[in-house]
Amino acid sequence: MNPIFKDKKQAARIIVPILIVIAVAAIYLLKNPPFQDEQQSSPLVVSEIDMDTLTAAGLPIIIDFGADYCAPCKQMEPILESVSREMQGKASIHYLDVQEYPGEAMQYPVQVIPTQVFFLPDGSPYMPDESLGIPFTLYSSKETGEHVYTVHEGLLTEDQMKLILQDMGVAE
């Protein structure tokens, strides 16, 4: 009976790298499970914006538009999740990936990402208090001049999001 390896050193040189590759692959798969439905990973993530459904809850609404390739969007992800958890039942906070759902995003004035759009519980646009010191862009209808969207472009801190929600009538 012939041994597969000439000596223990030769066996170690072959087996150790194989074990390292297996360990790295196992760690990768644990952190990035295959076939995970991203929409199920967070209740924040939406594939469409149904204002009738959102306003039925009677809560202020924040919709964040971003994408996976966007570094500032990734920075904002834990902030959105934290504020959403803290404001459960007090505010409706959602995230829409503009790369995955460009048609849905095109219905809103999204020019850069991340962009947040704010609505009062009845679906009307939020009118921010100027004392917040947070820059907003207000959009009006060309036909009627009616205020239709309140938008913030860029990152918001957790404190800024809470200030905005407080201004929208959410009590902590």
Side-chain angles (χ1 to χ4, degrees):
M1 182 177 209
N2 290 337
I4 296 174
F5 302 107
K6 293 180 183 178
D7 58 21
K8 290 181 181 180
K9 284 185 179 181
Q10 183 185 17
R13 280 188 221 134
I14 294 172
I15 293 174
V16 169
I18 291 172
L19 292 175
I20 291 172
V21 168
I22 291 171
V24 169
I27 291 169
Y28 176 82
L29 289 173
L30 284 173
K31 289 189 174 194
N32 304 295
F35 311 115
Q36 179 181 359
D37 183 359
E38 288 185 26
Q39 288 189 18
Q40 298 303 317
S41 66
S42 172
L44 293 172
V45 179
V46 294
S47 59
E48 68 177 333
I49 299 167
D50 180 356
M51 288 303 289
D52 290 335
T53 301
L54 292 176
T55 56
L59 302 172
I61 302 160
I62 298 176
I63 304 167
D64 181 70
F65 293 87
D68 284 344
Y69 62 83
C70 165
C73 301
K74 288 295 204 184
Q75 284 180 286
M76 191 140 170
E77 185 178 331
I79 295 168
L80 287 169
E81 289 175 355
S82 173
V83 173
S84 179
R85 271 193 308 276
E86 188 174 329
M87 298 295 167
Q88 189 80 30
K90 298 178 184 180
S92 182
I93 301 171
H94 302 281
Y95 169 82
L96 186 121
D97 188 314
V98 300
Q99 186 174 8
E100 292 287 321
Y101 306 103
E104 194 69 26
M106 287 176 25
Q107 297 177 40
Y108 295 87
V110 178
Q111 297 179 18
V112 299
I113 53 175
T115 289
Q116 302 81 38
V117 182
F118 303 89
F119 298 97
L120 295 174
D122 64 0
S124 63
Y126 158 65
M127 181 59 80
D129 188 319
E130 290 180 19
S131 68
L132 292 176
I134 300 169
F136 292 94
T137 303
L138 307 179
Y139 290 89
S140 299
S141 167
K142 288 181 182 180
E143 292 83 32
T144 65
E146 177 186 10
H147 177 205
V148 290
Y149 294 112
T150 297
V151 172
H152 175 269
E153 295 175 334
L155 281 171
L156 284 172
T157 67
E158 189 166 333
D159 289 340
Q160 287 174 319
M161 284 193 71
K162 289 178 183 178
L163 276 174
I164 293 166
L165 286 166
Q166 187 176 15
D167 192 45
M168 292 174 87
V170 174
E172 285 195 51

